Amino acid sequence: MGIISRGFGGRRRESLPGLPPGQYLTHDFPVLSAGPTPRIPLDKWKFTIATETGEKHTWDWKEFTALPAEEFTVDIHCVTKWSKLGTTWKGVALDTLFEDVESAADYTMAHSYGGYTTNVPLDDLLDGKAWLVYEFDGEPLHPEHGGPVRLLVPHLYFWKSAKWVNGLQMINDDEPGFWEAGGYHMYGDPWREQRYQGD
Amino acid sequence: MKNRISWRVATVSSARWETASARTLVLDVPDWPGHLPGQHIDVRLTAEDGYSAQRSYSIASAWPGSLEITVQRLADGEVSPYLTDEVQPGDQIELRGPVGGWFVWRSSSPAPVLLIAGGSGVVPLMSMIRARGDARGRQPFRLIYSVRTPEDAAYADELRRRVRDDPGLDVHFVYTRKAPEGAGTPKRIDVAAINSHGWPPDFQPDCYVCGPTGFVETAADILVALGHDPKRIRTERFGGA
Ligand SMILES: Cc1cc2nc3c(=O)[nH]c(=O)nc-3n(C[C@H](O)[C@H](O)[C@H](O)COP(=O)(O)OP(=O)(O)OC[C@H]3O[C@@H](n4cnc5c(N)ncnc54)[C@H](O)[C@@H]3O)c2cc1C
């Protein structure tokens, strides 16, 4: 294990059951993104799932918000070490969006307004594991936090929960997205501390 | 795939105070692979019973040269008070990196550069200023540096010296709590400060904004509102308010 740092005791802040290793609890909602916050007018907003054969499924704001939505409470974990427990969201489960999508691909690349990308295996989006969310704590999702719509994949580090998401591209082989190409882990499991490549 | 980023043992070779609450640690790491200005390292501290904590710190120095970080003490923090007040030359800490390939400045880029720092957000921007100085870069650089009071400005002497010796570098301070004589009343960074002391958008500068989350959000929004291309605005958020 690590070398001991002389005189370091640590604070040992709350070690809670919901807290993955190396994470600390925060009560506010920090923001992390690579650039300025895009503002997307709702009448321009669109979301598209594109399969590996080029078939496209697109929803505009009206169609999207007419889909059955769920309210749910989950914990979120950022690779910069903060975690937030018991956050409440409203959104559409990816299962709902994938109902009519035919694809044999195992991976997806999420795309966002502003150009951000992140890769997520399809298995990690289905079976009630991920949502496209548009409300946080009963309020429309603020642009700073990815509004109008962000992807939410709470069981992976938060950079996988692409803000300002506007599409999913199905891909046959896993490819790195924006942070992954910069050395971050391809998968990003907080419980296994998969922060960087090789972790 | 690149190799895994592994943990290394660093020895603190010297330390100096930049302000009353910010301290620079010079780190000696055998086989340090070098870094680009803007990259950061992760530091891991381990207590005697095995408890450990990790935090990210931007690299302050330019390479080739040294590996230095500047840590701002947060009174109620877990790691930063240890790095500012406890660590002494000769002590060892673990680190890994360099990390990050986005918030970096490359001396091969000819574009003018606008740097906007809030508090300890100046650290990676200082690395860029130093790298440009070492490379005798001719890209015009402007730094807008927001601090609470004049005493909170890190690297103040070095910045003054660099501005004096280098016509391609400008520094403008924004004081939020207490301004020195003649610098007007204290205020937060605003459109006027960025408009008068930044570059016009049609110069197509590369913009780097770094600091606490709220500061970065404000400054980046102003840049976009002034007409800067969002693709040329890179941000690094240190967390906190
Ligand atoms: C990419 C990057 C680069 C960075 N570069 C630098 C740099 O160059 N220089 C620098 O000084 N910092 C930098 N930081 C910030 C740094 O990583 C640390 O966040 C900072 O030093 C504070 O760590 P700490 O352990 O002292 O404080 P922490 O213990 O993490 O506390 C941080 C704040 O959160 C509050 N807090 C934490 N836990 C709790 C709790 N359980 N309950 C209530 N409040 C709590 C504390 O009161 C404090 O105000 C950088 C961060 C990032 C992400």
Side-chain angles (χ1 to χ4, degrees), chain A residues 67-122:
Chain A
L67 295 171
E70 300 171 10
E71 255 191 60
F72 56 95
T73 300
V74 291
D75 303 338
I76 54 180
H77 313 289
C78 178
V79 69
T80 62
K81 321 263 160 62
W82 57 263
S83 288
K84 209 169 154 55
L85 304 184
T87 57
T88 299
W89 307 81
K90 181 176 172 188
V92 178
L94 268 296
D95 298 296
T96 306
L97 293 156
F98 271 98
E99 253 164 35
D100 298 323
V101 176
E102 249 181 77
S103 166
D106 287 333
Y107 296 95
T108 73
M109 185 68 77
H111 291 263
S112 295
Y113 290 97
Y116 181 77
T117 55
T118 189
N119 54 319
V120 189
L122 182 60

Short mmCIF file of all heavy atoms in Angstrom, two decimals, chain A residues 67-122:
data_model
loop_
_atom_site.label_atom_id
_atom_site.label_comp_id
_atom_site.label_asym_id
_atom_site.label_seq_id
_atom_site.Cartn_x
_atom_site.Cartn_y
_atom_site.Cartn_z
N LEU A 67 -43.55 11.35 -23.13
CA LEU A 67 -43.24 9.96 -22.78
C LEU A 67 -43.46 9.74 -21.29
O LEU A 67 -43.33 10.68 -20.50
CB LEU A 67 -41.78 9.64 -23.14
CG LEU A 67 -41.42 9.67 -24.63
CD1 LEU A 67 -39.90 9.56 -24.80
CD2 LEU A 67 -42.12 8.54 -25.37
N PRO A 68 -43.77 8.50 -20.91
CA PRO A 68 -43.93 8.23 -19.47
C PRO A 68 -42.64 8.56 -18.72
O PRO A 68 -41.56 8.12 -19.14
CB PRO A 68 -44.24 6.73 -19.41
CG PRO A 68 -44.09 6.20 -20.79
CD PRO A 68 -43.99 7.32 -21.75
N ALA A 69 -42.78 9.34 -17.66
CA ALA A 69 -41.60 9.75 -16.89
C ALA A 69 -41.63 9.12 -15.51
O ALA A 69 -42.69 8.70 -15.03
CB ALA A 69 -41.55 11.26 -16.78
N GLU A 70 -40.48 9.04 -14.89
CA GLU A 70 -40.38 8.48 -13.54
C GLU A 70 -39.73 9.49 -12.62
O GLU A 70 -38.88 10.26 -13.04
CB GLU A 70 -39.47 7.23 -13.55
CG GLU A 70 -39.97 6.14 -14.46
CD GLU A 70 -38.95 5.01 -14.61
OE1 GLU A 70 -37.94 5.00 -13.85
OE2 GLU A 70 -39.16 4.17 -15.48
N GLU A 71 -40.14 9.47 -11.36
CA GLU A 71 -39.41 10.24 -10.35
C GLU A 71 -38.67 9.25 -9.49
O GLU A 71 -39.24 8.24 -9.08
CB GLU A 71 -40.38 11.05 -9.50
CG GLU A 71 -40.34 12.51 -9.88
CD GLU A 71 -41.09 13.38 -8.90
OE1 GLU A 71 -40.72 13.38 -7.70
OE2 GLU A 71 -42.05 14.00 -9.34
N PHE A 72 -37.39 9.52 -9.23
CA PHE A 72 -36.60 8.53 -8.50
C PHE A 72 -35.49 9.23 -7.74
O PHE A 72 -35.14 10.38 -8.04
CB PHE A 72 -36.02 7.50 -9.48
CG PHE A 72 -35.21 8.14 -10.57
CD1 PHE A 72 -33.84 8.26 -10.43
CD2 PHE A 72 -35.81 8.65 -11.70
CE1 PHE A 72 -33.08 8.89 -11.41
CE2 PHE A 72 -35.07 9.28 -12.69
CZ PHE A 72 -33.71 9.39 -12.54
N THR A 73 -34.94 8.55 -6.75
CA THR A 73 -33.90 9.11 -5.90
C THR A 73 -32.67 8.21 -5.95
O THR A 73 -32.78 7.01 -5.73
CB THR A 73 -34.44 9.24 -4.46
OG1 THR A 73 -35.57 10.11 -4.49
CG2 THR A 73 -33.39 9.83 -3.54
N VAL A 74 -31.53 8.81 -6.28
CA VAL A 74 -30.29 8.03 -6.40
C VAL A 74 -29.11 8.80 -5.83
O VAL A 74 -29.20 10.00 -5.56
CB VAL A 74 -29.98 7.71 -7.89
CG1 VAL A 74 -30.98 6.74 -8.48
CG2 VAL A 74 -29.93 8.99 -8.72
N ASP A 75 -27.98 8.11 -5.66
CA ASP A 75 -26.73 8.75 -5.23
C ASP A 75 -25.88 9.01 -6.47
O ASP A 75 -25.90 8.23 -7.41
CB ASP A 75 -25.95 7.81 -4.30
CG ASP A 75 -26.77 7.39 -3.09
OD1 ASP A 75 -27.73 8.13 -2.76
OD2 ASP A 75 -26.47 6.34 -2.51
N ILE A 76 -25.13 10.13 -6.44
CA ILE A 76 -24.24 10.42 -7.57
C ILE A 76 -22.82 10.63 -7.08
O ILE A 76 -22.59 11.14 -5.98
CB ILE A 76 -24.73 11.64 -8.38
CG1 ILE A 76 -24.94 12.86 -7.48
CG2 ILE A 76 -26.02 11.29 -9.12
CD1 ILE A 76 -25.43 14.09 -8.24
N HIS A 77 -21.85 10.24 -7.92
CA HIS A 77 -20.44 10.22 -7.51
C HIS A 77 -19.57 10.84 -8.60
O HIS A 77 -19.52 10.33 -9.71
CB HIS A 77 -20.00 8.78 -7.28
CG HIS A 77 -20.97 7.99 -6.45
ND1 HIS A 77 -21.13 8.22 -5.10
CD2 HIS A 77 -21.85 7.01 -6.77
CE1 HIS A 77 -22.07 7.40 -4.63
NE2 HIS A 77 -22.52 6.65 -5.63
N CYS A 78 -18.89 11.93 -8.27
CA CYS A 78 -18.04 12.60 -9.25
C CYS A 78 -16.60 12.11 -9.09
O CYS A 78 -16.15 11.88 -7.98
CB CYS A 78 -18.10 14.11 -9.07
SG CYS A 78 -17.04 15.02 -10.20
N VAL A 79 -15.90 12.00 -10.21
CA VAL A 79 -14.51 11.51 -10.17
C VAL A 79 -13.61 12.47 -9.38
O VAL A 79 -12.57 12.08 -8.88
CB VAL A 79 -13.98 11.27 -11.60
CG1 VAL A 79 -13.79 12.59 -12.34
CG2 VAL A 79 -12.70 10.45 -11.59
N THR A 80 -14.02 13.74 -9.24
CA THR A 80 -13.23 14.68 -8.45
C THR A 80 -13.47 14.51 -6.95
O THR A 80 -13.12 15.37 -6.17
CB THR A 80 -13.50 16.14 -8.84
OG1 THR A 80 -14.88 16.44 -8.56
CG2 THR A 80 -13.23 16.39 -10.30
N LYS A 81 -14.10 13.39 -6.55
CA LYS A 81 -14.18 12.91 -5.18
C LYS A 81 -15.43 13.30 -4.39
O LYS A 81 -15.62 12.84 -3.28
CB LYS A 81 -12.93 13.30 -4.35
CG LYS A 81 -11.64 13.22 -5.12
CD LYS A 81 -10.91 11.93 -4.88
CE LYS A 81 -9.90 11.64 -5.98
NZ LYS A 81 -8.83 12.61 -6.16
N TRP A 82 -16.29 14.15 -4.92
CA TRP A 82 -17.50 14.41 -4.13
C TRP A 82 -18.60 13.42 -4.52
O TRP A 82 -18.67 12.95 -5.66
CB TRP A 82 -18.00 15.85 -4.25
CG TRP A 82 -18.30 16.35 -5.63
CD1 TRP A 82 -17.48 17.09 -6.42
CD2 TRP A 82 -19.52 16.18 -6.39
NE1 TRP A 82 -18.10 17.37 -7.62
CE2 TRP A 82 -19.34 16.82 -7.62
CE3 TRP A 82 -20.74 15.54 -6.13
CZ2 TRP A 82 -20.33 16.85 -8.60
CZ3 TRP A 82 -21.72 15.55 -7.12
CH2 TRP A 82 -21.52 16.21 -8.34
N SER A 83 -19.43 13.12 -3.55
CA SER A 83 -20.63 12.33 -3.78
C SER A 83 -21.79 13.08 -3.17
O SER A 83 -21.63 13.81 -2.20
CB SER A 83 -20.53 10.96 -3.11
OG SER A 83 -19.62 10.13 -3.79
N LYS A 84 -22.94 12.86 -3.74
CA LYS A 84 -24.15 13.49 -3.24
C LYS A 84 -25.15 12.36 -3.10
O LYS A 84 -25.39 11.61 -4.04
CB LYS A 84 -24.60 14.52 -4.27
CG LYS A 84 -25.36 15.68 -3.70
CD LYS A 84 -25.52 16.75 -4.77
CE LYS A 84 -26.74 17.59 -4.47
NZ LYS A 84 -26.74 18.18 -3.13
N LEU A 85 -25.69 12.21 -1.91
CA LEU A 85 -26.58 11.08 -1.66
C LEU A 85 -28.03 11.54 -1.71
O LEU A 85 -28.36 12.66 -1.32
CB LEU A 85 -26.27 10.44 -0.30
CG LEU A 85 -24.81 9.99 -0.10
CD1 LEU A 85 -24.66 9.28 1.24
CD2 LEU A 85 -24.34 9.09 -1.23
N GLY A 86 -28.88 10.65 -2.20
CA GLY A 86 -30.31 10.92 -2.16
C GLY A 86 -30.75 12.08 -3.03
O GLY A 86 -31.52 12.93 -2.57
N THR A 87 -30.28 12.16 -4.27
CA THR A 87 -30.73 13.22 -5.16
C THR A 87 -31.97 12.74 -5.92
O THR A 87 -32.06 11.61 -6.33
CB THR A 87 -29.65 13.60 -6.18
OG1 THR A 87 -29.27 12.43 -6.92
CG2 THR A 87 -28.42 14.17 -5.49
N THR A 88 -32.92 13.67 -6.08
CA THR A 88 -34.20 13.30 -6.67
C THR A 88 -34.37 13.93 -8.05
O THR A 88 -34.14 15.13 -8.22
CB THR A 88 -35.35 13.72 -5.74
OG1 THR A 88 -35.17 13.01 -4.51
CG2 THR A 88 -36.70 13.35 -6.32
N TRP A 89 -34.74 13.11 -8.99
CA TRP A 89 -34.80 13.51 -10.40
C TRP A 89 -36.12 13.09 -11.01
O TRP A 89 -36.79 12.18 -10.51
CB TRP A 89 -33.68 12.83 -11.19
CG TRP A 89 -32.32 13.01 -10.64
CD1 TRP A 89 -31.75 12.30 -9.61
CD2 TRP A 89 -31.34 13.96 -11.06
NE1 TRP A 89 -30.46 12.76 -9.39
CE2 TRP A 89 -30.19 13.77 -10.27
CE3 TRP A 89 -31.31 14.95 -12.06
CZ2 TRP A 89 -29.04 14.52 -10.41
CZ3 TRP A 89 -30.16 15.70 -12.20
CH2 TRP A 89 -29.04 15.51 -11.40
N LYS A 90 -36.45 13.70 -12.14
CA LYS A 90 -37.55 13.21 -12.95
C LYS A 90 -37.05 13.08 -14.38
O LYS A 90 -36.37 13.97 -14.90
CB LYS A 90 -38.72 14.19 -12.91
CG LYS A 90 -39.91 13.70 -13.72
CD LYS A 90 -41.08 14.66 -13.56
CE LYS A 90 -42.19 14.30 -14.52
NZ LYS A 90 -43.24 15.32 -14.51
N GLY A 91 -37.38 11.96 -15.00
CA GLY A 91 -36.93 11.76 -16.37
C GLY A 91 -37.50 10.50 -16.97
O GLY A 91 -38.29 9.78 -16.36
N VAL A 92 -37.04 10.24 -18.19
CA VAL A 92 -37.52 9.11 -18.96
C VAL A 92 -36.46 8.02 -18.93
O VAL A 92 -35.29 8.29 -19.22
CB VAL A 92 -37.79 9.54 -20.43
CG1 VAL A 92 -38.25 8.36 -21.27
CG2 VAL A 92 -38.81 10.68 -20.46
N ALA A 93 -36.86 6.81 -18.56
CA ALA A 93 -35.90 5.72 -18.54
C ALA A 93 -35.43 5.42 -19.96
O ALA A 93 -36.21 5.51 -20.91
CB ALA A 93 -36.55 4.47 -17.93
N LEU A 94 -34.16 5.08 -20.10
CA LEU A 94 -33.64 4.75 -21.42
C LEU A 94 -34.38 3.54 -22.00
O LEU A 94 -34.52 3.41 -23.20
CB LEU A 94 -32.13 4.50 -21.36
CG LEU A 94 -31.20 5.70 -21.63
CD1 LEU A 94 -31.37 6.21 -23.05
CD2 LEU A 94 -31.41 6.84 -20.66
N ASP A 95 -34.88 2.67 -21.12
CA ASP A 95 -35.66 1.52 -21.60
C ASP A 95 -36.82 1.98 -22.48
O ASP A 95 -37.13 1.38 -23.49
CB ASP A 95 -36.22 0.74 -20.40
CG ASP A 95 -35.12 0.17 -19.53
OD1 ASP A 95 -34.36 -0.67 -20.03
OD2 ASP A 95 -35.01 0.59 -18.36
N THR A 96 -37.47 3.06 -22.06
CA THR A 96 -38.59 3.60 -22.81
C THR A 96 -38.14 4.08 -24.20
O THR A 96 -38.78 3.81 -25.21
CB THR A 96 -39.22 4.78 -22.03
OG1 THR A 96 -39.53 4.32 -20.72
CG2 THR A 96 -40.46 5.32 -22.71
N LEU A 97 -37.02 4.79 -24.24
CA LEU A 97 -36.54 5.33 -25.51
C LEU A 97 -36.06 4.23 -26.44
O LEU A 97 -36.14 4.35 -27.66
CB LEU A 97 -35.41 6.33 -25.25
CG LEU A 97 -35.88 7.60 -24.52
CD1 LEU A 97 -34.74 8.26 -23.78
CD2 LEU A 97 -36.51 8.58 -25.50
N PHE A 98 -35.57 3.14 -25.87
CA PHE A 98 -35.03 2.07 -26.70
C PHE A 98 -36.09 1.06 -27.14
O PHE A 98 -35.77 0.12 -27.87
CB PHE A 98 -33.88 1.35 -25.97
CG PHE A 98 -32.54 1.98 -26.22
CD1 PHE A 98 -31.99 2.87 -25.30
CD2 PHE A 98 -31.83 1.70 -27.38
CE1 PHE A 98 -30.76 3.47 -25.54
CE2 PHE A 98 -30.60 2.29 -27.63
CZ PHE A 98 -30.06 3.18 -26.70
N GLU A 99 -37.34 1.26 -26.71
CA GLU A 99 -38.39 0.28 -27.01
C GLU A 99 -38.45 -0.13 -28.48
O GLU A 99 -38.55 -1.30 -28.81
CB GLU A 99 -39.76 0.81 -26.57
CG GLU A 99 -40.27 0.11 -25.33
CD GLU A 99 -41.40 0.87 -24.65
OE1 GLU A 99 -42.22 1.50 -25.35
OE2 GLU A 99 -41.44 0.84 -23.40
N ASP A 100 -38.38 0.87 -29.38
CA ASP A 100 -38.52 0.56 -30.81
C ASP A 100 -37.19 0.57 -31.55
O ASP A 100 -37.15 0.60 -32.77
CB ASP A 100 -39.47 1.57 -31.46
CG ASP A 100 -40.86 1.47 -30.84
OD1 ASP A 100 -41.28 0.35 -30.52
OD2 ASP A 100 -41.48 2.53 -30.63
N VAL A 101 -36.10 0.60 -30.81
CA VAL A 101 -34.80 0.67 -31.47
C VAL A 101 -34.25 -0.74 -31.66
O VAL A 101 -34.20 -1.51 -30.72
CB VAL A 101 -33.79 1.50 -30.63
CG1 VAL A 101 -32.41 1.49 -31.27
CG2 VAL A 101 -34.31 2.92 -30.43
N GLU A 102 -33.88 -1.03 -32.90
CA GLU A 102 -33.29 -2.33 -33.17
C GLU A 102 -31.80 -2.17 -33.39
O GLU A 102 -31.37 -1.43 -34.27
CB GLU A 102 -33.93 -2.95 -34.41
CG GLU A 102 -34.79 -4.14 -34.07
CD GLU A 102 -35.38 -4.74 -35.31
OE1 GLU A 102 -34.64 -5.44 -36.02
OE2 GLU A 102 -36.56 -4.47 -35.58
N SER A 103 -31.03 -2.87 -32.58
CA SER A 103 -29.58 -2.72 -32.71
C SER A 103 -28.90 -3.94 -32.14
O SER A 103 -29.36 -4.54 -31.18
CB SER A 103 -29.13 -1.48 -31.93
OG SER A 103 -27.74 -1.48 -31.79
N ALA A 104 -27.77 -4.30 -32.76
CA ALA A 104 -26.98 -5.41 -32.25
C ALA A 104 -25.69 -4.89 -31.61
O ALA A 104 -24.85 -5.68 -31.17
CB ALA A 104 -26.64 -6.37 -33.38
N ALA A 105 -25.53 -3.57 -31.58
CA ALA A 105 -24.29 -3.00 -31.05
C ALA A 105 -24.27 -3.07 -29.53
O ALA A 105 -25.31 -2.97 -28.88
CB ALA A 105 -24.14 -1.56 -31.52
N ASP A 106 -23.09 -3.22 -28.95
CA ASP A 106 -22.97 -3.34 -27.49
C ASP A 106 -22.64 -2.02 -26.82
O ASP A 106 -22.70 -1.90 -25.60
CB ASP A 106 -21.84 -4.32 -27.14
CG ASP A 106 -22.27 -5.76 -27.42
OD1 ASP A 106 -23.48 -6.02 -27.37
OD2 ASP A 106 -21.38 -6.58 -27.71
N TYR A 107 -22.23 -1.02 -27.59
CA TYR A 107 -21.75 0.22 -26.98
C TYR A 107 -22.51 1.42 -27.52
O TYR A 107 -23.09 1.36 -28.61
CB TYR A 107 -20.25 0.41 -27.25
CG TYR A 107 -19.43 -0.68 -26.61
CD1 TYR A 107 -19.05 -1.81 -27.34
CD2 TYR A 107 -19.08 -0.60 -25.27
CE1 TYR A 107 -18.32 -2.82 -26.74
CE2 TYR A 107 -18.34 -1.60 -24.67
CZ TYR A 107 -17.97 -2.72 -25.40
OH TYR A 107 -17.25 -3.71 -24.80
N THR A 108 -22.47 2.48 -26.76
CA THR A 108 -23.05 3.74 -27.23
C THR A 108 -22.06 4.87 -26.98
O THR A 108 -21.22 4.79 -26.08
CB THR A 108 -24.35 4.11 -26.47
OG1 THR A 108 -24.00 4.54 -25.14
CG2 THR A 108 -25.31 2.94 -26.40
N MET A 109 -22.18 5.90 -27.81
CA MET A 109 -21.47 7.15 -27.55
C MET A 109 -22.53 8.22 -27.35
O MET A 109 -23.37 8.45 -28.22
CB MET A 109 -20.58 7.50 -28.76
CG MET A 109 -19.71 8.73 -28.54
SD MET A 109 -18.41 8.45 -27.30
CE MET A 109 -17.24 7.50 -28.27
N ALA A 110 -22.52 8.83 -26.18
CA ALA A 110 -23.45 9.93 -25.92
C ALA A 110 -22.85 11.20 -26.49
O ALA A 110 -21.65 11.46 -26.34
CB ALA A 110 -23.69 10.07 -24.43
N HIS A 111 -23.70 11.99 -27.16
CA HIS A 111 -23.26 13.28 -27.73
C HIS A 111 -24.06 14.41 -27.09
O HIS A 111 -25.23 14.24 -26.77
CB HIS A 111 -23.49 13.30 -29.24
CG HIS A 111 -22.60 12.37 -29.99
ND1 HIS A 111 -21.43 12.78 -30.58
CD2 HIS A 111 -22.69 11.04 -30.23
CE1 HIS A 111 -20.85 11.75 -31.17
NE2 HIS A 111 -21.59 10.67 -30.97
N SER A 112 -23.42 15.56 -26.95
CA SER A 112 -24.07 16.68 -26.29
C SER A 112 -23.97 17.95 -27.12
O SER A 112 -23.05 18.10 -27.93
CB SER A 112 -23.39 16.97 -24.95
OG SER A 112 -23.58 15.90 -24.08
N TYR A 113 -24.92 18.86 -26.90
CA TYR A 113 -24.76 20.23 -27.39
C TYR A 113 -23.45 20.75 -26.81
O TYR A 113 -23.15 20.51 -25.64
CB TYR A 113 -25.92 21.11 -26.91
CG TYR A 113 -27.22 20.76 -27.59
CD1 TYR A 113 -28.15 19.91 -26.97
CD2 TYR A 113 -27.52 21.26 -28.86
CE1 TYR A 113 -29.34 19.58 -27.60
CE2 TYR A 113 -28.72 20.93 -29.49
CZ TYR A 113 -29.62 20.10 -28.86
OH TYR A 113 -30.79 19.76 -29.47
N GLY A 114 -22.64 21.42 -27.62
CA GLY A 114 -21.35 21.88 -27.15
C GLY A 114 -20.24 20.93 -27.53
O GLY A 114 -19.07 21.27 -27.41
N GLY A 115 -20.59 19.70 -28.00
CA GLY A 115 -19.57 18.82 -28.55
C GLY A 115 -19.05 17.74 -27.61
O GLY A 115 -18.24 16.91 -28.01
N TYR A 116 -19.48 17.75 -26.36
CA TYR A 116 -19.01 16.73 -25.41
C TYR A 116 -19.46 15.33 -25.83
O TYR A 116 -20.53 15.16 -26.41
CB TYR A 116 -19.59 17.06 -24.04
CG TYR A 116 -19.16 16.11 -22.94
CD1 TYR A 116 -17.88 16.21 -22.38
CD2 TYR A 116 -20.03 15.12 -22.45
CE1 TYR A 116 -17.49 15.34 -21.37
CE2 TYR A 116 -19.64 14.26 -21.44
CZ TYR A 116 -18.37 14.37 -20.90
OH TYR A 116 -17.98 13.52 -19.90
N THR A 117 -18.62 14.35 -25.56
CA THR A 117 -18.98 12.95 -25.82
C THR A 117 -18.55 12.08 -24.65
O THR A 117 -17.59 12.41 -23.95
CB THR A 117 -18.29 12.41 -27.09
OG1 THR A 117 -16.86 12.60 -26.94
CG2 THR A 117 -18.76 13.10 -28.35
N THR A 118 -19.25 10.98 -24.44
CA THR A 118 -18.78 9.98 -23.48
C THR A 118 -19.36 8.62 -23.87
O THR A 118 -20.48 8.53 -24.37
CB THR A 118 -19.14 10.36 -22.02
OG1 THR A 118 -18.48 9.46 -21.13
CG2 THR A 118 -20.64 10.33 -21.75
N ASN A 119 -18.55 7.58 -23.68
CA ASN A 119 -18.97 6.24 -24.10
C ASN A 119 -19.57 5.48 -22.92
O ASN A 119 -19.06 5.56 -21.80
CB ASN A 119 -17.77 5.46 -24.67
CG ASN A 119 -16.59 5.40 -23.73
OD1 ASN A 119 -16.26 6.39 -23.09
ND2 ASN A 119 -15.96 4.24 -23.62
N VAL A 120 -20.65 4.77 -23.18
CA VAL A 120 -21.30 3.95 -22.15
C VAL A 120 -21.77 2.64 -22.81
O VAL A 120 -22.40 2.69 -23.87
CB VAL A 120 -22.55 4.66 -21.56
CG1 VAL A 120 -23.08 3.89 -20.35
CG2 VAL A 120 -22.24 6.10 -21.16
N PRO A 121 -21.46 1.48 -22.20
CA PRO A 121 -21.98 0.23 -22.75
C PRO A 121 -23.51 0.24 -22.70
O PRO A 121 -24.10 0.75 -21.74
CB PRO A 121 -21.42 -0.84 -21.81
CG PRO A 121 -20.27 -0.20 -21.10
CD PRO A 121 -20.60 1.27 -21.02
N LEU A 122 -24.14 -0.34 -23.71
CA LEU A 122 -25.60 -0.34 -23.76
C LEU A 122 -26.21 -0.99 -22.51
O LEU A 122 -27.21 -0.52 -21.97
CB LEU A 122 -26.09 -1.05 -25.04
CG LEU A 122 -27.61 -1.06 -25.23
CD1 LEU A 122 -28.17 0.35 -25.31
CD2 LEU A 122 -27.99 -1.85 -26.48
#
